[in-house]
Amino acid sequence: MTKIMMFSTREEEVQAAEAWAARNNVELTMTKEKLTPDNVHLLAGYDGISTSQTSLIDKAVYPALKELGIKQIAQRSAGYDMFDLKLAEENELVLSNVPSYSPNSIAEFAVTTALQLVRNTAQIEKNVQNYDFRWSPAIMSRSIRDMTVAVIGTGRIGQFTARIFNGFGSKVVAYDPIRNDELANFIEYKETLEDAVHDADIVSLHIPLNDENYHLFNQALFTHFKKGALFINAARGGIVDTKALIAAIDSGQLAGAAIDTYENEGPYFAKDYRGSELDDTTLKTLIDHDRIILTPHIAFFTDVAVQNLVDDGLEAALQVIRTGTCDNRVN
């Protein structure tokens, strides 16, 4: 019987994983541990692995997997920037991801946090908790129907985001080097990224992280934003220079931000730090800032998304074991 080990297994994944294993006649071992040089030896006798890495995988893991006869790593997420593609290739490992598990879930969350910023819900809730029920100018908002939204990246998630904002009646502009002509009836594509953000009241990111766009949103780019714009990132943390973002908000260049992904989130997100001190001062600033909504990479977190991540991740592992490659191969 084919044997697969599933690393970084979360509680909500167990039922879906057990059902998948039964359907496919696979012996599946689940562990909460992430894949490290210290536990890679446990894969002796196994045929494949699935991971849900949120931080860089140790370089020593790649040759260790090759020595054990493992041919693949199936990541249960769309992002795969935590892997070294060159080392994977050198060690004859097929890397795969789950490129589309519930794009509408992420889009819905991005729009939700944008609405929270626009409608000043955090301040309203704080006022009510303090028994302050006044209708003050500080909590008056604009109508989202009258706002321009820039969607950066019009792939699966960006398309859903644009459609939702369009449904509110917002003007939607976009930037993507590869334009989708099917969206032209409700999206106005801009020639450059700077053009897209220039007149936008809300800027929402939906692009992958790679070497070319690391810290793409930096101090220089924020100067091109419309003063008082709102910034939404439910994509990847490394796309944004976090300190530059905080500075842009503190200076008044941006009115606020909703951040679901943080460039140094690996040690923290999806973990319980209650009763502990955080060593990351930038993360503390994000948490404490009155004009920033921080969430722990949960835009995807719906029942259908978890089901698809488990099914498609494990299916990719099985495909490589049986055929040598898979549909969602990234290297």
Side-chain angles (χ1 to χ4, degrees):
M1 180 181 287
T2 300
K3 296 178 65 176
I4 295 176
M5 185 171 290
M6 184 168 155
F7 288 88
S8 302
T9 306
R10 300 186 302 273
E11 181 181 355
E12 68 276 4
E13 294 180 310
V14 172
Q15 185 175 354
E18 289 175 342
W20 181 91
R23 289 196 307 271
N24 289 276
N25 193 32
V26 168
E27 182 180 329
L28 182 65
T29 302
M30 289 178 269
T31 175
K32 294 180 180 179
E33 295 181 11
K34 65 180 182 179
L35 179 60
T36 70
D38 294 331
N39 61 21
V40 69
H41 68 278
L42 298 175
L43 288 165
Y46 280 81
D47 303 294
I49 60 174
S50 174
T51 63
S52 186
Q53 291 290 129
T54 56
S55 55
L56 289 176
I57 234 178
D58 193 290
K59 293 182 177 181
V61 167
Y62 299 92
L65 291 175
K66 181 179 181 180
E67 186 174 342
L68 288 166
I70 301 293
K71 300 296 185 183
Q72 54 70 230
I73 304 175
Q75 172 72 358
R76 301 189 306 282
S77 73
Y80 51 89
D81 45 286
M82 60 289 296
F83 297 100
D84 187 320
L85 298 185
K86 183 179 179 182
L87 274 177
E89 183 177 352
E90 289 175 357
N91 289 280
E92 301 174 0
L93 292 166
V94 174
L95 286 178
S96 62
N97 71 339
V98 183
S100 180
Y101 40 91
S102 183
N104 62 291
S105 296
I106 299 170
E108 289 163 6
F109 191 86
V111 175
T112 296
T113 55
L115 287 170
Q116 288 178 303
L117 289 172
V118 170
R119 297 308 300 260
N120 300 306
T121 57
Q123 186 61 53
I124 293 168
E125 290 171 4
K126 186 182 296 184
N127 289 354
V128 170
Q129 288 168 2
N130 292 322
Y131 304 153
D132 181 354
F133 308 121
R134 292 173 298 166
W135 298 353
S136 64
I139 61 173
M140 184 172 66
S141 71
R142 293 177 59 190
S143 167
I144 200 164
R145 178 187 179 93
D146 300 321
M147 303 176 85
T148 297
V149 179
V151 174
I152 311 304
T154 54
R156 297 179 182 91
I157 300 168
Q159 288 180 41
F160 273 107
T161 304
R163 291 183 188 278
I164 297 172
F165 277 118
N166 179 66
F168 281 113
S170 304
K171 177 182 178 180
V172 181
V173 302
Y175 175 73
D176 194 315
I178 302 174
R179 299 188 178 192
N180 186 338
D181 292 336
E182 295 179 3
L183 309 178
N185 62 324
F186 67 93
I187 285 181
E188 178 187 339
Y189 277 101
K190 297 293 186 177
E191 291 297 326
T192 67
L193 179 56
E194 290 77 8
D195 289 340
V197 305
H198 187 265
D199 295 316
D201 301 292
I202 300 171
V203 176
S204 190
L205 305 193
H206 302 286
I207 57 177
L209 175 63
N210 53 41
D211 292 339
E212 287 70 36
N213 62 25
Y214 175 75
H215 279 190
L216 176 63
F217 285 79
N218 53 28
Q219 181 181 6
L221 184 55
F222 286 132
T223 64
H224 290 274
F225 277 56
K226 180 180 181 180
K227 188 173 178 63
L230 299 172
F231 182 76
I232 315 297
N233 183 16
R236 305 298 291 180
I239 301 166
V240 181
D241 181 337
T242 310
K243 292 182 178 179
L245 171 63
I246 294 170
I249 295 171
D250 288 342
S251 71
Q253 177 64 22
L254 299 180
I259 305 299
D260 187 55
T261 58
Y262 166 53
E263 58 184 313
N264 299 314
E265 69 185 48
Y268 302 102
F269 286 8
K271 300 175 179 66
D272 187 354
Y273 269 79
R274 286 177 295 180
S276 303
E277 277 295 318
L278 298 182
D279 296 329
D280 189 324
T281 56
T282 302
L283 179 58
K284 287 182 181 179
T285 300
L286 292 174
I287 294 170
D288 296 336
H289 206 293
D290 288 339
R291 285 176 285 161
I292 295 175
I293 296 172
L294 177 72
T295 49
H297 209 144
I298 56 169
F300 79 96
F301 200 49
T302 60
D303 52 358
V304 66
V306 171
Q307 181 77 52
N308 291 339
L309 283 166
V310 170
D311 287 354
D312 292 356
L314 291 172
E315 184 62 35
L318 190 58
Q319 281 186 354
V320 176
I321 293 167
R322 290 177 173 174
T323 70
T325 189
C326 65
D327 298 335
N328 294 333
R329 183 173 185 162
V330 297
N331 68 335

